[in-house]
Amino acid sequence: MATISLQVIQGLERGQYYSDLNVPVTIGREDDNSIQLNDERISRCHLKIQVDHDKVILTDLESTNGSRVNGLPVQMTVLNPGDLISLGRCILMYGSHEEIQAFCSEQHKDALNSQSPDDSGNTVSGIEGGQYSSDDFETLGLFDEHGEPAVSFPSGSPPLPRTESLASRSELADLLNYLHSRILQVLESRGQDSVQDEEEKESPTNPTIPIPRSNWFQLLNLEAELSRHLKEISEPE
């Protein structure tokens, strides 16, 4: 039986991770859903996620306030690892850490394999509407000279610092929440930016900077870690 993984990165259940859920999965306000979210803006049975021909399909179940994926309203759409699902005030990230990483790595390989010469005869590759050579990825610090992912903290996220008082825990939570909300604004804008008018995208007054898939994975992973840290801080000792 097919399974999926989801993590809540915004909402009352922020930081909650649901691993290997059997599909179909329903999400809504009532407790008979696979995932129950406490938000009055979410319908009793808001959306369903199922698998069809190896594709993961999200369907909005005629919810009152609708569903969004990567910032865009949807009725039915195919999900890819790393997609952000918004319903009510809640945002969930689709896919496990391994699935998101594998998906982004595959996108990176496909982009490098589809290199083509530009007007100057230099070889470039298109990713998310941008053009990068294979050397650019090493310059960006995403991969080392052998093409392997370069990780600043190979052991993962450092542990939360010890706090001696409730006030210090609250101040740390405020700082992490600020970073979390600012990164989330960037992540949610992906779908909205993708449908901008081409002339507007290229306007000198509205410049855009394409983000490679590998960078996008790093942002998604960081947002997930911040959500888990915020959940840990808020839990009573």
Side-chain angles (χ1 to χ4, degrees), residues 24-144:
V25 169
T26 59
I27 304 175
R29 203 174 67 247
E30 289 195 340
D31 57 8
D32 58 351
N33 289 285
S34 309
I35 297 178
Q36 181 186 18
L37 298 174
N38 295 309
D39 185 341
E40 72 276 7
R41 295 189 181 184
I42 294 176
S43 297
R44 289 177 295 178
C45 193
H46 197 103
L47 62 82
K48 176 189 286 188
I49 301 175
Q50 55 197 325
V51 174
D52 183 59
H53 293 86
D54 296 326
K55 299 290 185 181
V56 179
I57 312 297
L58 179 148
T59 305
D60 182 87
L61 300 176
E62 298 183 355
S63 63
T64 301
N65 294 307
S67 304
R68 293 175 178 265
V69 174
N70 300 323
L72 293 177
V74 297
Q75 180 61 43
M76 180 180 292
T77 189
V78 176
L79 292 177
N80 291 309
D83 281 347
L84 299 180
I85 304 166
S86 302
L87 57 163
R89 298 184 182 89
C90 299
I91 300 176
L92 295 86
M93 184 187 300
Y94 164 66
S96 66
H97 175 91
E98 293 76 16
E99 289 171 331
I100 297 172
Q101 186 175 36
F103 179 75
C104 291
S105 296
E106 194 62 33
Q107 294 290 320
H108 166 68
K109 292 177 184 177
D110 290 344
L112 291 182
N113 291 335
S114 63
Q115 291 179 339
S116 59
D118 62 11
D119 294 336
S120 304
N122 298 319
T123 301
V124 297
S125 59
I127 297 182
E128 294 291 328
Q131 294 179 330
Y132 296 90
S133 70
S134 57
D135 292 336
D136 288 334
F137 290 97
E138 183 176 341
T139 302
L140 289 168
L142 301 176
F143 298 89
D144 59 23

